[in-house]
Amino acid sequence: MEEKKLSSLFFGNVVLESYILGTEIRIYAPDMRSYSVRPSPYVTLSAPLNELKGKLKPDHADALVRKIFDSVAEELNENYPGGRERAEEELKAWIMQST
């Protein structure tokens, strides 16, 4: 038997939610009771977030993080302290960690 860790990362109401076959970008309502899925037309995460952790080169991580947040920049800038820029820095730091 193999155990997989499926992390979800919260950036205010923007959530990167892992599942066994990939990761979705979800925009939650302010009460966090409902959400919409807004996949970027330029990026598809076909793996859970944990499978990326510690496996990317810094320049590849930079490009991936920018693409992930392209379609949700407005929500991040409105609802997350530090906006898109801070979210990108935090996600890149998380991805670059060794497991």
Side-chain angles (χ1 to χ4, degrees):
M1 176 171 68
E2 182 179 339
E3 180 180 356
K4 295 233 180 220
K5 184 175 182 181
L6 302 174
S7 292
S8 294
L9 302 177
F10 290 73
F11 301 91
N13 67 329
V14 175
V15 180
L16 303 181
E17 199 160 322
S18 292
Y19 57 98
I20 195 70
L21 297 176
T23 302
E24 287 185 343
I25 302 168
R26 294 182 178 183
I27 312 300
Y28 279 83
D31 64 4
M32 301 299 278
R33 292 183 182 197
S34 62
Y35 67 88
S36 61
V37 177
R38 181 157 337 139
S40 168
Y42 307 109
V43 66
T44 300
L45 292 176
S46 57
L49 291 170
N50 294 81
E51 291 186 15
L52 300 174
K53 197 172 186 179
K55 296 181 180 168
L56 299 178
K57 294 179 181 179
D59 57 334
H60 189 197
D62 277 337
L64 180 63
V65 166
R66 279 194 304 273
K67 295 242 183 228
I68 287 172
F69 288 138
D70 272 349
S71 66
V72 294
E74 184 177 328
E75 286 83 5
L76 289 169
N77 289 332
E78 289 177 8
N79 301 306
Y80 192 62
R84 177 184 178 167
E85 185 176 321
R86 179 174 169 210
E88 287 179 357
E89 290 171 7
E90 291 176 348
L91 180 57
K92 182 182 176 193
W94 187 88
I95 288 174
M96 297 304 298
Q97 290 178 16
S98 298
T99 53

